[in-house]
């Protein structure tokens, strides 16, 4: 494998540099003195920010972009072997790395690399941890899978030994990382276009846990079924967190919390208990019980790093979320518009349950399914989860990397939801959805646009009308 030499910065090219994770790594290398360039399909706010930093960005991926002056090319798992820049890299025999391999090499330059994993909640928990470390003046380097307002983006280059990064399980990319502290928030079925089943996914998370050295630590959600199977064979310290006192194996969790109340916007307060017999009250400024679970992992990490509890309490209270995580977009005609990235049944359930405690008359959910594989695999679960909304509107499935529709469509999901006795509408275009909502949403309603694709445009377009 090609090794990046941080003592002798070279020329590195990123294919798909406008992606949220790729752009962050590109910025880290640029700040370290590397000659960074890359390509993306279209111009965006992210690519414009990169260009302001002196990074050359090509729009359109072409064979000619890959020149002999490039020392290494970085790809994501989304790049196919027929991509012209991939073809050029192979034919010119230029060394290459995956995004995860590069991230793993970057982590090796820090004394305390921290990787945050889980099927859900990675971005929010990474952001919570980031807020705590920033509030504690630790000057961390951060790589987040979403935009954090505090740092004005998804990347921050610090000067300390702390490096915090999300660890994504898709294509086993997190197995290329080099963490000393790891967090596993949850393990559920997802990415079934890559993994065979839940056992395959659990095996991958076990391998992630095994990456941690004897001097390291794993913080794991003790509510994960048979979580000891994930930690078996690890040589590091293991800390458990749970929303109740007991873990799935009946043992007492090292950290657990009880929700005491919610404010008028669904923000929970909870009483934390830890192994030292300490009890502290925390109040979050993000909605939903799922964010209490995220916060517990962040608190355990903060304690492990020796951060004063009072700093953690304040940092979590001050944290108001990241882009596309129950993000308030605005209000039009008395209708409140929220946008959320949820694209898995468990995430949808968590978001819509959180919305129940948010002021509203009628709860509308505009959902854009993400990939045919995921939609088909969880069709029934999607129908049940979305039925927590009063009224559901479906957009076409966002294909992403897929080309085979597997014989399904959003119409299929609509029929599943209607069979459960819930009101559901489907429109093939965003314009039709927007027109329908303009006519049917009334003052006091709550409208959530939901999905991992471009469904957020619907809310943004409504706010312009």
């Amino acid at each position: 494998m090609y090794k990046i030499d941080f003592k002798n910065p070279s020329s590195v090219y990123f294919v798909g540099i406008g992606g949220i994770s790729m752009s962050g790594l590109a910025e880290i290398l640029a700040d370290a003195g590397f000659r960074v360039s890359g390509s993306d399909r279209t111009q965006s706010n992210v690519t414009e920010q990169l260009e302001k930093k002196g990074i050359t960005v090509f729009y359109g991926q072409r064979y000619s972009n890959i020149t002999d002056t490039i020392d290494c090319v970085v790809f994501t798992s989304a790049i196919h072997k027929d991509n012209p820049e991939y073809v050029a890299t192979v034919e010119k025999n230029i060394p290459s790395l995956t995004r995860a391999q590069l991230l793993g090499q970057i982590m090796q330059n820090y004394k305390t690399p921290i990787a945050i994993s889980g099927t859900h909640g990675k971005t929010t928990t990474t952001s919570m941890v980031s807020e705590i470390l920033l509030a504690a003046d630790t000057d961390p380097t951060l790589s987040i899978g979403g935009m954090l307002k505090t740092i004005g983006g998804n990347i921050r280059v610090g000067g300390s030994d702390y490096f915090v990064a999300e660890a994504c399980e898709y294509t086993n990319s997190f197995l290329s990382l080099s963490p000393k502290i790891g967090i596993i928030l949850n393990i559920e079925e997802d990415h079934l276009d890559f993994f065979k089943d839940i056992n395959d996914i659990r095996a991958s998370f076990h391998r992630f846990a095994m990456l941690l050295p004897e001097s390291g630590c794993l913080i794991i959600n003790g509510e994960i079924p048979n979580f000891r199977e994930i930690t078996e064979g690890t040589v590091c310290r293991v800390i458990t967190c749970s929303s109740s006192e007991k873990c799935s194996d009946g043992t007492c969790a090292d950290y657990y919390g009880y929700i005491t109340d919610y404010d008028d916007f669904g923000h929970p307060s909870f009483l934390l208990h830890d192994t030292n017999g300490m009890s502290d009250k925390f109040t979050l400024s993000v909605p939903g019980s799922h964010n209490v679970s995220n916060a517990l992992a962040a608190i355990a990490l903060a304690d492990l790093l020796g951060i004063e509890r009072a700093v953690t309490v304040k940092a979590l209270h001050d944290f108001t979320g990241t882009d596309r995580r129950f993000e308030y977009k605005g209000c039009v005609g008395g209708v409140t518009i929220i946008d959320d990235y949820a694209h898995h049944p468990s995430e949808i359930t968590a978001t819509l349950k959180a919305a129940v405690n948010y002021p509203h008359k009628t709860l509308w959910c505009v959902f854009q399914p993400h990939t045919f594989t995921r939609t088909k695999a969880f069709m029934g679960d999607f129908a049940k989860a979305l039925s927590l909304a009063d009224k559901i509107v479906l957009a076409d499935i966002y294909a992403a990397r897929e080309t085979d529709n597997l014989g399904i469509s959003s119409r299929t999901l609509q029929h599943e939801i209607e069979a459960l006795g819930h009101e559901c509408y489907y429109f093939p275009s965003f314009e039709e959805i927007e027109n329908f909502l303009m006519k049917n949403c009334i003052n006091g309603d709550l409208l959530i646009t939901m999905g991992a694709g471009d469904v957020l445009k619907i809310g943004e377009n409504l706010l312009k009308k």
Side-chain angles (χ1 to χ4, degrees):
M1 182 193 303
Y2 181 82
K3 291 286 291 184
I4 293 288
D5 186 353
F6 286 85
K7 294 181 180 178
N8 296 290
S10 55
S11 175
V12 181
Y13 186 96
F14 289 79
V15 181
I17 197 169
I20 195 70
S21 58
M22 292 283 271
S23 63
L25 298 182
E27 286 197 44
I28 289 176
L29 291 189
D31 285 347
F34 285 77
R35 299 181 301 281
V36 178
S37 58
S39 66
D40 215 294
R41 293 177 180 175
T42 57
Q43 190 174 21
S44 67
N45 292 336
V46 173
T47 59
E48 289 175 3
Q49 178 64 29
L50 293 174
E51 289 177 310
K52 289 179 182 177
K53 292 183 71 71
I55 295 172
T56 300
V57 180
F58 297 95
Y59 295 102
Q61 292 167 349
R62 303 177 183 86
Y63 187 101
S64 59
N65 291 344
I66 306 299
T67 65
D68 294 334
T69 60
I70 295 170
D71 297 303
C72 178
V73 179
V74 183
F75 299 100
T76 68
S77 56
I79 299 301
H80 298 290
K81 291 185 178 180
D82 61 354
N83 180 287
E85 295 184 347
Y86 183 91
V87 172
T89 300
V90 173
E91 290 185 356
K92 292 175 181 288
N93 201 30
I94 297 174
S96 65
L97 293 171
T98 66
R99 181 202 66 83
Q101 288 170 338
L102 174 60
L103 178 56
Q105 291 189 24
I106 291 174
M107 294 179 88
Q108 292 172 12
N109 287 271
Y110 294 82
K111 290 183 180 179
T112 311
I114 302 163
I116 299 174
S117 74
T119 314
H120 323 295
K122 292 185 290 293
T123 297
T124 296
T125 307
T126 304
S127 298
M128 286 178 169
V129 168
S130 298
E131 293 283 9
I132 294 169
L133 292 177
L134 290 169
D137 294 324
T138 62
D139 195 19
T141 295
L142 309 170
S143 179
I144 308 170
M147 296 296 185
L148 181 63
K149 296 180 180 66
T150 305
I151 62 175
N154 68 309
I155 192 72
R156 179 187 190 273
V157 178
S160 73
D161 294 330
Y162 294 116
F163 183 96
V164 182
E166 288 191 33
C168 181
E169 74 277 13
Y170 184 56
T171 68
N172 284 329
S173 63
F174 63 175
L175 300 183
S176 296
L177 305 186
S178 306
K180 289 185 179 176
I181 300 174
I183 292 178
I184 299 178
L185 298 166
N186 41 63
I187 304 174
E188 293 189 14
E189 282 187 310
D190 199 8
H191 300 301
L192 296 178
D193 57 329
F194 176 77
F195 294 109
K196 291 184 293 185
D197 51 29
I198 184 61
N199 291 327
D200 192 22
I201 297 170
R202 288 175 62 88
S204 183
F205 275 94
H206 176 253
R207 290 166 64 192
F208 170 75
M210 294 294 289
L211 294 175
L212 297 165
E214 187 174 359
S215 59
C217 181
L218 173 65
I219 298 169
I220 188 169
N221 182 351
E223 295 176 279
I224 295 171
N226 193 16
F227 78 92
R228 297 289 181 188
E229 183 181 69
I230 308 301
T231 63
E232 184 180 5
T234 55
V235 294
C236 66
R237 178 185 177 187
V238 175
I239 296 174
T240 56
C241 301
S242 176
S243 60
S244 59
E245 183 176 357
K246 298 296 183 181
C247 296
S248 62
D249 65 348
T251 59
C252 185
D254 296 314
Y255 287 79
Y256 61 95
Y258 292 117
I259 296 176
T260 56
D261 57 85
Y262 291 90
D263 69 13
D264 291 340
F265 294 94
H267 303 148
S269 294
F270 65 96
L271 192 63
L272 171 84
H273 301 272
D274 63 30
T275 51
N276 297 319
M278 295 285 289
S279 294
D280 281 298
K281 186 173 183 179
F282 286 77
T283 298
L284 303 182
S285 297
V286 287
S289 60
H290 60 293
N291 276 318
V292 173
S293 294
N294 295 333
L296 289 173
I299 294 165
L301 175 61
D303 285 356
L304 181 68
L305 299 178
I307 294 173
E308 292 183 12
R309 182 62 65 79
V311 173
T312 304
V313 170
K314 185 177 186 304
L316 287 176
H317 178 265
D318 291 345
F319 172 64
T320 57
T322 55
D323 285 2
R324 303 222 61 206
R325 272 69 179 180
F326 212 90
E327 181 187 5
Y328 174 81
K329 301 294 287 188
C331 191
V332 57
V335 178
T336 299
I337 298 177
I338 301 288
D339 180 61
D340 197 274
Y341 191 69
H343 55 285
H344 181 281
S346 296
E347 296 166 350
I348 294 168
T349 299
T351 298
L352 293 180
K353 282 186 175 180
V356 169
N357 295 302
Y358 198 96
H360 68 275
K361 291 179 180 177
T362 299
L363 174 57
W364 291 81
C365 179
V366 180
F367 180 60
Q368 180 186 43
H370 189 263
T371 75
F372 296 102
T373 303
R374 182 182 285 113
T375 306
K376 185 171 184 177
F378 301 116
M379 186 70 71
D381 294 328
F382 274 125
K384 292 176 184 177
L386 289 165
S387 295
L388 292 171
D390 298 315
K391 298 182 181 182
I392 306 108
V393 180
L394 298 177
D396 275 330
I397 296 173
Y398 190 86
R401 54 192 170 268
E402 298 181 341
T403 55
D404 185 354
N405 66 17
L406 304 178
I408 63 166
S409 69
S410 289
R411 285 278 190 200
T412 316
L413 180 55
Q414 180 190 19
H415 296 326
E416 289 276 342
I417 295 170
E418 290 176 336
L420 294 175
H422 293 277
E423 194 172 340
C424 182
Y425 305 88
Y426 160 73
F427 300 97
S429 73
F430 282 5
E431 184 179 5
E432 290 172 282
I433 292 174
E434 292 160 18
N435 291 336
F436 174 80
L437 295 172
M438 288 289 289
K439 293 178 182 177
N440 291 277
C441 290
I442 62 172
N443 190 342
D445 285 356
L446 175 61
L447 170 64
I448 302 180
T449 57
M450 185 180 290
D454 56 354
V455 67
L456 78 165
K457 292 179 180 178
I458 291 175
E460 292 173 349
N461 290 338
L462 289 173
L463 291 169
K464 295 174 184 176
K465 295 184 178 181

